[in-house]
Amino acid sequence: MKKFGIIGASGYVAPRHMRAIKALGHQLVVAYDVNDSVGIIDSIYPDSYFFCEFERFLEFASNAQSNPDSKIDYMVVCSPNHLHRAHISMGLRLGCDVICEKPLVPTGDDVSYLADLEVNTGHRVWNILQLRHHEAIINLRKKIAKMPSDQQFEVDLTYITSRGRWYMESWKGDPRKSFGIETNIGIHFFDMLHFLFGSLKYSELHYSDNVRAGGFLEYERAIVRWFLSINRGDVELAAGNDKSTYRSITVDDEEIEFSEGFTDLHTTSYQHILAGSGFGVEDARACIETVETLRRASAKNPESQENIGRLVRLFLAQPT
């Protein structure tokens, strides 16, 4: 039985990690978050220690590492994006392997830093890239591999996930902490595109603001038009309904259905990590460098709301 600690226990994604640890028969020893809204722990690991003060958490974890019987094997990082590098570094230096939510870190230089720290500490960093485990994506990758190596696919990717006013008041709405919508919302899709179609050759950012982004990517085996949004009104434009989420990926005009099958992907990710076959820092480099390039690009955004609406319709292939 492996022992785990978790940083960022009150966040949206943390319960998925807790349940994956539980499902595989392991133990959550300690959790930390600056917020104390962590009642979910009662239904999963009621005996886990919990701290709101980082110093007390670090003292507990450090003491645990001094005894082979209490040593924490894995530190799980679910904290806000801008804290990932610091918390990963802490976990490695404590003598833990680290499992981190995406985005792993914001830049390619940060990836190199973590790779060097792995060597120095003798411990590994694992990234949750769960779409690589999705059955529909795996099947599509196998299909692409059977096609002629010089065949290039045309891909349209649209992901709209509605967020309320709270979003812009939280760290997620602060680009200094979330690194923008391309990183916070789009990182796993950009990883999926690399996983399916190879290395990125060229990118253009056509539009970007606090709630939307869109552009063009050329991979070894695909040209991709992509659009991301957290604006509820864009769901109505894309799907003609009032649902909260719209997700669409077409390859050569064929819709790839993967709206189901997400429930156990964190558990699957943990199974691979514990077996030593998970996705490490170099696996995450391509998508990190993709969003880093997009953040540094300049987009010519239309000034008027009317022009923004026209541009959104263009991305969604809707008549103006």
Side-chain angles (χ1 to χ4, degrees), residues 198-277:
S199 299
L200 182 66
K201 297 168 61 179
Y202 178 75
S203 69
E204 288 181 1
L205 183 64
H206 294 164
Y207 184 83
S208 179
D209 64 20
N210 290 333
V211 298
R212 299 184 183 94
F216 171 87
L217 299 168
E218 182 180 356
Y219 290 87
E220 287 179 287
R221 301 204 59 187
I223 54 173
V224 181
R225 188 178 69 163
W226 61 273
F227 179 73
L228 306 170
S229 174
I230 59 170
N231 186 293
R232 181 179 295 273
D234 293 342
V235 177
E236 297 177 10
L237 286 174
N241 58 47
D242 58 356
K243 293 184 178 179
S244 62
T245 301
Y246 175 80
R247 181 190 295 111
S248 174
I249 298 178
T250 63
V251 179
D252 287 347
D253 294 324
E254 180 181 344
E255 186 77 28
I256 306 303
E257 174 54 48
F258 72 118
S259 57
E260 304 295 333
F262 285 90
T263 306
D264 298 320
L265 291 184
H266 273 72
T267 302
T268 302
S269 296
Y270 269 72
Q271 288 174 321
H272 284 269
I273 289 168
L274 291 168
S277 59

Coordinates of all heavy atoms in Angstrom, one line a residue, residues 198-277:
G198 N 1.3 14.3 -34.1 CA 2.8 14.6 -34.1 C 3.2 16.0 -33.7 O 2.4 16.7 -33.1
S199 N 4.4 16.4 -34.1 CA 5.0 17.6 -33.7 C 4.3 18.8 -34.3 O 3.8 18.8 -35.4 CB 6.4 17.7 -34.0 OG 7.1 16.6 -33.4
L200 N 4.2 19.9 -33.6 CA 3.7 21.2 -34.1 C 4.7 21.9 -35.0 O 5.9 22.0 -34.6 CB 3.3 22.1 -32.9 CG 2.7 23.4 -33.2 CD1 1.3 23.3 -33.9 CD2 2.6 24.3 -32.0
K201 N 4.2 22.3 -36.2 CA 5.1 23.0 -37.1 C 4.9 24.5 -37.2 O 5.8 25.2 -37.5 CB 4.9 22.3 -38.5 CG 5.3 20.8 -38.6 CD 4.8 20.2 -39.9 CE 5.4 20.8 -41.1 NZ 5.0 20.2 -42.3
Y202 N 3.6 24.9 -37.0 CA 3.3 26.3 -37.2 C 2.0 26.6 -36.4 O 1.1 25.8 -36.2 CB 3.0 26.6 -38.7 CG 2.6 28.0 -39.0 CD1 3.5 29.0 -38.9 CD2 1.3 28.3 -39.3 CE1 3.1 30.3 -39.2 CE2 0.9 29.6 -39.6 CZ 1.8 30.6 -39.6 OH 1.5 31.9 -39.8
S203 N 1.9 27.8 -35.9 CA 0.7 28.2 -35.1 C 0.4 29.7 -35.4 O 1.3 30.5 -35.6 CB 0.9 28.0 -33.6 OG 1.9 28.9 -33.1
E204 N -0.9 30.0 -35.4 CA -1.4 31.4 -35.5 C -2.5 31.6 -34.4 O -3.3 30.7 -34.2 CB -2.0 31.7 -36.8 CG -1.1 31.8 -38.0 CD -1.7 32.1 -39.3 OE1 -3.0 32.2 -39.3 OE2 -1.1 32.2 -40.3
L205 N -2.4 32.7 -33.7 CA -3.5 33.1 -32.8 C -4.4 34.1 -33.5 O -3.9 35.2 -33.7 CB -2.9 33.6 -31.5 CG -3.9 34.0 -30.4 CD1 -4.6 32.7 -29.9 CD2 -3.2 34.7 -29.2
H206 N -5.6 33.8 -33.7 CA -6.5 34.7 -34.4 C -7.3 35.6 -33.5 O -7.7 36.7 -33.9 CB -7.5 33.9 -35.3 CG -6.8 33.2 -36.4 ND1 -7.4 32.1 -37.1 CD2 -5.6 33.3 -37.0 CE1 -6.6 31.7 -38.1 NE2 -5.4 32.4 -38.0
Y207 N -7.6 35.0 -32.3 CA -8.4 35.8 -31.3 C -8.1 35.3 -29.9 O -7.9 34.1 -29.7 CB -9.9 35.7 -31.6 CG -10.7 36.6 -30.7 CD1 -10.9 37.9 -31.0 CD2 -11.2 36.1 -29.5 CE1 -11.6 38.7 -30.1 CE2 -11.9 36.9 -28.6 CZ -12.1 38.2 -28.9 OH -12.8 39.0 -28.1
S208 N -8.0 36.3 -29.0 CA -7.8 35.9 -27.6 C -8.3 37.0 -26.7 O -7.9 38.2 -26.8 CB -6.3 35.6 -27.3 OG -6.2 35.2 -25.9
D209 N -9.1 36.7 -25.7 CA -9.5 37.6 -24.6 C -9.6 36.8 -23.3 O -9.2 35.7 -23.3 CB -10.7 38.5 -25.0 CG -12.0 37.7 -25.2 OD1 -12.0 36.5 -24.7 OD2 -12.9 38.2 -25.8
N210 N -10.3 37.4 -22.3 CA -10.4 36.6 -21.1 C -11.4 35.4 -21.1 O -11.3 34.6 -20.3 CB -11.0 37.6 -20.0 CG -9.9 38.6 -19.6 OD1 -8.7 38.4 -19.7 ND2 -10.4 39.8 -19.1
V211 N -12.3 35.4 -22.1 CA -13.2 34.3 -22.2 C -13.2 33.5 -23.4 O -13.9 32.4 -23.5 CB -14.7 34.9 -22.0 CG1 -14.8 35.5 -20.6 CG2 -15.1 35.8 -23.1
R212 N -12.5 33.9 -24.4 CA -12.4 33.2 -25.7 C -11.0 33.2 -26.3 O -10.2 34.1 -26.0 CB -13.3 33.8 -26.8 CG -14.8 33.8 -26.4 CD -15.5 34.4 -27.7 NE -16.9 34.6 -27.4 CZ -17.5 35.7 -27.0 NH1 -16.7 36.8 -26.8 NH2 -18.8 35.8 -26.8
A213 N -10.7 32.1 -27.1 CA -9.5 32.1 -27.8 C -9.7 31.2 -29.0 O -10.4 30.2 -28.9 CB -8.3 31.7 -27.0
G214 N -9.0 31.5 -30.1 CA -9.1 30.7 -31.3 C -8.0 30.9 -32.2 O -7.3 32.0 -32.2
G215 N -7.7 29.9 -33.1 CA -6.6 30.1 -34.0 C -6.4 28.9 -34.9 O -7.3 28.0 -35.1
F216 N -5.2 28.7 -35.4 CA -4.8 27.7 -36.4 C -3.5 27.1 -36.0 O -2.6 27.7 -35.5 CB -4.6 28.4 -37.7 CG -4.1 27.5 -38.8 CD1 -4.9 26.7 -39.6 CD2 -2.7 27.5 -39.1 CE1 -4.3 25.9 -40.6 CE2 -2.1 26.7 -40.0 CZ -3.0 25.9 -40.8
L217 N -3.5 25.8 -36.1 CA -2.3 25.0 -35.8 C -2.0 24.0 -36.9 O -2.9 23.4 -37.5 CB -2.4 24.2 -34.5 CG -2.7 25.0 -33.2 CD1 -3.1 24.0 -32.1 CD2 -1.5 25.7 -32.8
E218 N -0.7 23.9 -37.2 CA -0.3 22.9 -38.2 C 0.6 21.9 -37.6 O 1.7 22.2 -37.1 CB 0.4 23.5 -39.4 CG 0.7 22.5 -40.5 CD 1.4 23.1 -41.7 OE1 1.6 24.3 -41.8 OE2 1.9 22.3 -42.6
Y219 N 0.2 20.6 -37.6 CA 1.0 19.5 -37.0 C 1.6 18.7 -38.2 O 1.3 18.9 -39.3 CB 0.1 18.6 -36.1 CG -0.3 19.3 -34.8 CD1 -1.4 20.0 -34.7 CD2 0.5 19.1 -33.7 CE1 -1.8 20.6 -33.5 CE2 0.1 19.7 -32.5 CZ -1.0 20.5 -32.4 OH -1.4 21.1 -31.2
E220 N 2.4 17.8 -37.9 CA 3.0 16.9 -38.9 C 1.9 16.3 -39.8 O 2.1 16.2 -41.0 CB 3.8 15.8 -38.2 CG 5.1 16.3 -37.6 CD 5.9 15.1 -37.0 OE1 5.4 14.7 -35.9 OE2 6.9 14.7 -37.6
R221 N 0.8 15.9 -39.1 CA -0.2 15.1 -39.9 C -1.6 15.8 -39.8 O -2.6 15.1 -40.1 CB -0.3 13.7 -39.4 CG 1.1 13.0 -39.5 CD 0.9 11.5 -39.5 NE 0.1 11.1 -40.7 CZ -0.4 9.8 -40.9 NH1 -0.1 8.9 -40.0 NH2 -1.1 9.5 -41.9
A222 N -1.7 17.1 -39.5 CA -3.0 17.7 -39.4 C -2.9 19.2 -39.5 O -1.9 19.8 -39.0 CB -3.7 17.3 -38.2
I223 N -3.9 19.8 -40.1 CA -4.1 21.3 -39.9 C -5.4 21.4 -39.1 O -6.4 20.8 -39.3 CB -4.2 22.0 -41.3 CG1 -5.3 21.4 -42.1 CG2 -2.9 22.0 -42.0 CD1 -5.6 22.2 -43.4
V224 N -5.3 22.3 -38.0 CA -6.3 22.3 -37.0 C -6.8 23.8 -36.9 O -6.0 24.7 -36.7 CB -5.8 21.9 -35.7 CG1 -6.8 21.9 -34.6 CG2 -5.2 20.5 -35.8
R225 N -8.1 23.9 -36.9 CA -8.8 25.1 -36.5 C -9.4 24.9 -35.2 O -10.2 24.0 -35.0 CB -9.9 25.5 -37.6 CG -10.5 26.9 -37.3 CD -11.5 27.3 -38.4 NE -12.7 26.5 -38.3 CZ -13.8 26.8 -38.8 NH1 -13.9 27.9 -39.6 NH2 -14.9 26.0 -38.7
W226 N -9.1 25.8 -34.2 CA -9.5 25.5 -32.8 C -10.2 26.8 -32.2 O -9.9 27.9 -32.6 CB -8.4 25.1 -31.9 CG -7.2 26.1 -31.8 CD1 -6.2 26.2 -32.6 CD2 -7.1 27.1 -30.8 NE1 -5.4 27.2 -32.2 CE2 -5.9 27.8 -31.1 CE3 -7.9 27.5 -29.7 CZ2 -5.5 28.9 -30.3 CZ3 -7.4 28.5 -28.9 CH2 -6.2 29.2 -29.2
F227 N -11.1 26.5 -31.3 CA -11.8 27.6 -30.6 C -12.2 27.1 -29.2 O -12.7 26.0 -29.0 CB -13.1 27.9 -31.4 CG -14.0 29.0 -30.7 CD1 -13.5 30.3 -30.8 CD2 -15.1 28.7 -30.1 CE1 -14.3 31.3 -30.2 CE2 -15.9 29.7 -29.5 CZ -15.5 31.0 -29.5
L228 N -11.8 28.0 -28.2 CA -12.1 27.7 -26.8 C -12.9 28.8 -26.3 O -12.7 30.0 -26.6 CB -10.8 27.5 -26.0 CG -9.8 26.5 -26.5 CD1 -8.5 26.7 -25.7 CD2 -10.3 25.1 -26.4
S229 N -13.9 28.5 -25.4 CA -14.7 29.6 -24.8 C -15.2 29.2 -23.4 O -15.5 28.0 -23.2 CB -15.8 30.0 -25.7 OG -16.7 30.9 -25.1
I230 N -15.4 30.1 -22.5 CA -16.1 29.9 -21.3 C -17.4 30.7 -21.3 O -18.0 30.9 -20.2 CB -15.3 30.2 -20.1 CG1 -14.8 31.7 -20.1 CG2 -14.1 29.2 -20.0 CD1 -14.1 32.1 -18.8
N231 N -17.8 31.3 -22.4 CA -19.0 32.1 -22.5 C -20.2 31.3 -22.9 O -20.3 30.6 -23.9 CB -18.8 33.2 -23.6 CG -19.9 34.2 -23.7 OD1 -21.0 33.9 -24.1 ND2 -19.6 35.4 -23.4
R232 N -21.2 31.3 -22.0 CA -22.4 30.5 -22.2 C -23.1 30.8 -23.5 O -23.7 29.9 -24.1 CB -23.4 30.7 -21.0 CG -24.7 29.9 -21.1 CD -25.6 30.1 -19.9 NE -25.0 29.6 -18.7 CZ -25.0 28.4 -18.2 NH1 -25.7 27.5 -18.9 NH2 -24.5 28.1 -17.1
G233 N -23.1 32.1 -23.9 CA -23.8 32.4 -25.2 C -23.2 31.7 -26.4 O -23.9 31.5 -27.4
D234 N -21.9 31.3 -26.3 CA -21.3 30.6 -27.4 C -21.8 29.2 -27.6 O -21.8 28.7 -28.7 CB -19.8 30.6 -27.2 CG -19.2 32.0 -27.4 OD1 -19.9 32.9 -27.9 OD2 -18.0 32.2 -26.9
V235 N -22.3 28.6 -26.5 CA -23.0 27.3 -26.6 C -24.2 27.4 -27.4 O -24.5 26.5 -28.3 CB -23.3 26.7 -25.2 CG1 -24.1 25.4 -25.3 CG2 -22.1 26.6 -24.3
E236 N -25.0 28.4 -27.2 CA -26.2 28.6 -28.0 C -25.9 28.8 -29.5 O -26.6 28.3 -30.4 CB -27.0 29.8 -27.5 CG -27.5 29.7 -26.1 CD -28.1 31.0 -25.6 OE1 -28.4 31.8 -26.4 OE2 -28.4 31.0 -24.4
L237 N -24.8 29.5 -29.8 CA -24.4 29.7 -31.2 C -23.9 28.4 -31.8 O -24.2 28.1 -33.0 CB -23.2 30.7 -31.3 CG -23.6 32.2 -31.1 CD1 -22.3 33.0 -31.1 CD2 -24.5 32.6 -32.2
A238 N -23.2 27.6 -31.0 CA -22.6 26.3 -31.5 C -23.6 25.2 -31.6 O -23.7 24.4 -32.6 CB -21.5 25.9 -30.7
A239 N -24.5 25.1 -30.6 CA -25.4 23.9 -30.5 C -26.8 24.3 -30.6 O -27.7 23.4 -30.7 CB -25.1 23.2 -29.2
G240 N -27.2 25.5 -30.5 CA -28.6 25.9 -30.5 C -29.4 25.5 -29.3 O -30.6 25.3 -29.4
N241 N -28.7 25.3 -28.1 CA -29.4 24.9 -26.9 C -28.8 25.7 -25.7 O -27.9 26.4 -25.9 CB -29.4 23.4 -26.7 CG -27.9 22.9 -26.6 OD1 -27.1 23.4 -25.9 ND2 -27.6 21.8 -27.3
D242 N -29.4 25.4 -24.6 CA -28.9 26.2 -23.4 C -28.1 25.3 -22.4 O -28.0 25.5 -21.2 CB -30.1 26.8 -22.6 CG -31.1 25.7 -22.2 OD1 -30.9 24.5 -22.5 OD2 -32.1 26.1 -21.5
K243 N -27.5 24.2 -23.0 CA -26.6 23.4 -22.1 C -25.4 24.2 -21.7 O -25.1 25.2 -22.3 CB -26.3 22.1 -22.9 CG -27.4 21.2 -23.2 CD -27.0 19.9 -23.8 CE -28.2 19.0 -24.0 NZ -27.8 17.7 -24.7
S244 N -24.7 23.7 -20.7 CA -23.5 24.4 -20.2 C -22.2 24.1 -20.9 O -21.3 24.8 -20.8 CB -23.4 24.1 -18.7 OG -23.1 22.7 -18.5
T245 N -22.2 23.0 -21.7 CA -21.0 22.6 -22.4 C -21.2 22.1 -23.8 O -22.2 21.5 -24.1 CB -20.3 21.4 -21.6 OG1 -20.0 21.9 -20.2 CG2 -19.0 21.0 -22.2
Y246 N -20.3 22.5 -24.7 CA -20.3 22.0 -26.0 C -18.9 21.5 -26.4 O -17.9 22.3 -26.2 CB -20.8 23.1 -27.0 CG -20.7 22.7 -28.4 CD1 -21.8 21.9 -29.0 CD2 -19.7 23.1 -29.3 CE1 -21.7 21.5 -30.3 CE2 -19.6 22.7 -30.6 CZ -20.6 21.9 -31.1 OH -20.6 21.5 -32.5
R247 N -18.8 20.3 -26.9 CA -17.5 19.8 -27.2 C -17.6 19.1 -28.6 O -18.5 18.3 -28.8 CB -17.0 18.7 -26.2 CG -15.7 18.1 -26.4 CD -15.4 16.9 -25.5 NE -15.3 17.3 -24.1 CZ -16.2 17.0 -23.2 NH1 -17.3 16.3 -23.5 NH2 -16.1 17.3 -21.9
S248 N -16.7 19.5 -29.5 CA -16.8 18.9 -30.9 C -15.4 18.8 -31.4 O -14.6 19.8 -31.4 CB -17.7 19.8 -31.8 OG -17.6 19.3 -33.1
I249 N -15.1 17.6 -32.0 CA -13.8 17.4 -32.7 C -14.2 16.7 -34.0 O -14.8 15.6 -33.9 CB -12.8 16.6 -31.9 CG1 -12.4 17.4 -30.7 CG2 -11.6 16.4 -32.8 CD1 -11.4 16.6 -29.8
T250 N -13.9 17.2 -35.1 CA -14.1 16.6 -36.4 C -12.7 16.4 -37.1 O -11.9 17.2 -37.0 CB -15.0 17.3 -37.3 OG1 -14.4 18.6 -37.7 CG2 -16.4 17.6 -36.7
V251 N -12.6 15.2 -37.7 CA -11.4 14.9 -38.5 C -11.9 14.5 -39.9 O -12.6 13.6 -40.0 CB -10.6 13.7 -37.8 CG1 -9.4 13.3 -38.7 CG2 -10.2 14.0 -36.4
D252 N -11.5 15.4 -40.8 CA -12.0 15.2 -42.2 C -13.5 15.1 -42.2 O -14.1 14.3 -42.8 CB -11.3 14.0 -42.9 CG -9.9 14.2 -43.2 OD1 -9.4 15.4 -43.2 OD2 -9.2 13.2 -43.5
D253 N -14.1 16.1 -41.5 CA -15.6 16.2 -41.4 C -16.3 15.1 -40.7 O -17.5 15.0 -40.6 CB -16.2 16.4 -42.8 CG -15.8 17.7 -43.4 OD1 -15.6 18.7 -42.7 OD2 -15.6 17.7 -44.7
E254 N -15.5 14.1 -40.1 CA -16.1 13.0 -39.3 C -16.1 13.4 -37.8 O -15.0 13.6 -37.3 CB -15.4 11.7 -39.6 CG -16.0 10.5 -38.8 CD -15.2 9.2 -39.1 OE1 -14.5 9.2 -40.1 OE2 -15.4 8.3 -38.3
E255 N -17.2 13.4 -37.2 CA -17.3 13.7 -35.7 C -16.7 12.6 -34.9 O -17.0 11.4 -35.1 CB -18.7 14.0 -35.3 CG -18.8 14.5 -33.9 CD -18.5 16.0 -33.7 OE1 -18.7 16.7 -34.7 OE2 -18.1 16.4 -32.6
I256 N -15.8 13.0 -34.0 CA -15.2 12.0 -33.1 C -16.0 12.1 -31.8 O -16.0 13.1 -31.1 CB -13.7 12.3 -32.8 CG1 -12.9 12.4 -34.1 CG2 -13.1 11.3 -31.9 CD1 -13.0 11.2 -35.0
E257 N -16.7 11.0 -31.4 CA -17.5 11.0 -30.3 C -16.7 10.6 -29.0 O -16.3 9.4 -28.9 CB -18.7 10.0 -30.5 CG -19.6 9.8 -29.3 CD -20.1 11.1 -28.7 OE1 -20.6 11.9 -29.5 OE2 -20.0 11.3 -27.5
F258 N -16.5 11.5 -28.1 CA -15.9 11.2 -26.9 C -16.5 11.9 -25.7 O -15.8 12.3 -24.8 CB -14.4 11.3 -27.0 CG -13.8 12.7 -27.0 CD1 -13.0 13.2 -26.0 CD2 -14.2 13.6 -28.0 CE1 -12.5 14.5 -26.0 CE2 -13.7 14.9 -28.1 CZ -12.9 15.3 -27.0
S259 N -17.8 12.1 -25.8 CA -18.5 12.8 -24.7 C -18.6 11.9 -23.5 O -18.8 12.4 -22.3 CB -19.9 13.3 -25.1 OG -20.6 12.2 -25.6
E260 N -18.5 10.6 -23.7 CA -18.6 9.6 -22.6 C -17.2 9.1 -22.3 O -16.3 9.3 -23.1 CB -19.6 8.5 -22.9 CG -21.0 9.0 -23.3 CD -21.7 9.6 -22.1 OE1 -21.3 9.3 -20.9 OE2 -22.5 10.5 -22.3
G261 N -17.1 8.3 -21.2 CA -15.8 7.6 -21.0 C -14.8 8.4 -20.2 O -13.6 8.0 -20.1
F262 N -15.2 9.5 -19.5 CA -14.3 10.3 -18.7 C -14.2 9.9 -17.3 O -13.3 10.2 -16.6 CB -14.6 11.8 -18.8 CG -14.3 12.4 -20.1 CD1 -15.2 12.4 -21.2 CD2 -13.1 13.0 -20.3 CE1 -14.9 13.0 -22.4 CE2 -12.8 13.6 -21.6 CZ -13.7 13.6 -22.6
T263 N -15.2 9.1 -16.8 CA -15.4 8.9 -15.4 C -14.2 8.3 -14.7 O -13.8 8.8 -13.6 CB -16.6 8.0 -15.2 OG1 -17.8 8.5 -15.8 CG2 -16.9 7.8 -13.7
D264 N -13.6 7.3 -15.3 CA -12.5 6.6 -14.6 C -11.1 6.9 -15.1 O -10.2 6.2 -14.8 CB -12.8 5.1 -14.6 CG -14.1 4.7 -14.0 OD1 -14.4 5.3 -12.9 OD2 -14.8 3.8 -14.5
L265 N -11.0 8.0 -15.9 CA -9.7 8.2 -16.5 C -8.6 8.6 -15.5 O -7.4 8.3 -15.7 CB -9.8 9.3 -17.6 CG -10.6 8.9 -18.8 CD1 -10.5 10.0 -19.9 CD2 -10.0 7.6 -19.4
H266 N -8.9 9.2 -14.4 CA -7.9 9.5 -13.4 C -7.5 8.2 -12.7 O -6.3 8.0 -12.5 CB -8.5 10.5 -12.3 CG -8.3 11.9 -12.7 ND1 -9.0 12.5 -13.6 CD2 -7.4 12.9 -12.2 CE1 -8.6 13.8 -13.7 NE2 -7.6 14.0 -12.9
T267 N -8.4 7.3 -12.5 CA -8.0 6.0 -11.9 C -7.1 5.3 -12.9 O -6.1 4.7 -12.5 CB -9.2 5.2 -11.6 OG1 -10.1 5.9 -10.7 CG2 -8.9 3.8 -11.0
T268 N -7.4 5.3 -14.2 CA -6.6 4.7 -15.2 C -5.2 5.3 -15.2 O -4.2 4.6 -15.3 CB -7.2 4.8 -16.6 OG1 -8.5 4.2 -16.6 CG2 -6.3 4.1 -17.6
S269 N -5.1 6.6 -15.1 CA -3.9 7.4 -15.1 C -3.0 6.9 -13.9 O -1.8 6.7 -14.0 CB -4.1 8.9 -15.0 OG -4.8 9.4 -16.1
Y270 N -3.7 6.7 -12.7 CA -3.0 6.3 -11.5 C -2.4 4.9 -11.7 O -1.3 4.5 -11.2 CB -3.9 6.4 -10.3 CG -3.7 7.7 -9.6 CD1 -4.3 8.9 -10.1 CD2 -3.1 7.8 -8.4 CE1 -4.1 10.1 -9.5 CE2 -3.0 9.0 -7.7 CZ -3.5 10.2 -8.3 OH -3.4 11.4 -7.6
Q271 N -3.2 4.0 -12.3 CA -2.8 2.6 -12.5 C -1.5 2.6 -13.3 O -0.5 1.9 -13.0 CB -3.8 1.8 -13.3 CG -5.1 1.5 -12.4 CD -6.2 0.8 -13.2 OE1 -6.4 1.2 -14.4 NE2 -6.8 -0.1 -12.7
H272 N -1.4 3.4 -14.4 CA -0.2 3.5 -15.2 C 1.0 4.1 -14.4 O 2.1 3.6 -14.5 CB -0.5 4.3 -16.5 CG -1.3 3.5 -17.5 ND1 -0.7 2.8 -18.5 CD2 -2.6 3.4 -17.7 CE1 -1.6 2.2 -19.2 NE2 -2.8 2.6 -18.8
I273 N 0.7 5.2 -13.7 CA 1.7 5.8 -12.9 C 2.3 4.8 -11.9 O 3.6 4.7 -11.7 CB 1.2 7.1 -12.2 CG1 0.9 8.2 -13.2 CG2 2.2 7.6 -11.1 CD1 0.1 9.3 -12.7
L274 N 1.5 4.1 -11.1 CA 2.0 3.2 -10.1 C 2.7 2.0 -10.7 O 3.6 1.4 -10.1 CB 0.8 2.7 -9.3 CG 0.2 3.8 -8.4 CD1 -1.2 3.3 -7.8 CD2 1.1 4.2 -7.3
A275 N 2.4 1.8 -12.0 CA 3.2 0.7 -12.7 C 4.4 1.2 -13.4 O 5.2 0.4 -14.0 CB 2.2 0.0 -13.8
G276 N 4.7 2.5 -13.3 CA 5.9 3.1 -13.9 C 5.7 3.4 -15.4 O 6.7 3.7 -16.0
S277 N 4.5 3.4 -15.9 CA 4.3 3.7 -17.3 C 3.4 4.9 -17.5 O 2.7 5.0 -18.6 CB 3.6 2.4 -17.9 OG 2.4 2.1 -17.3

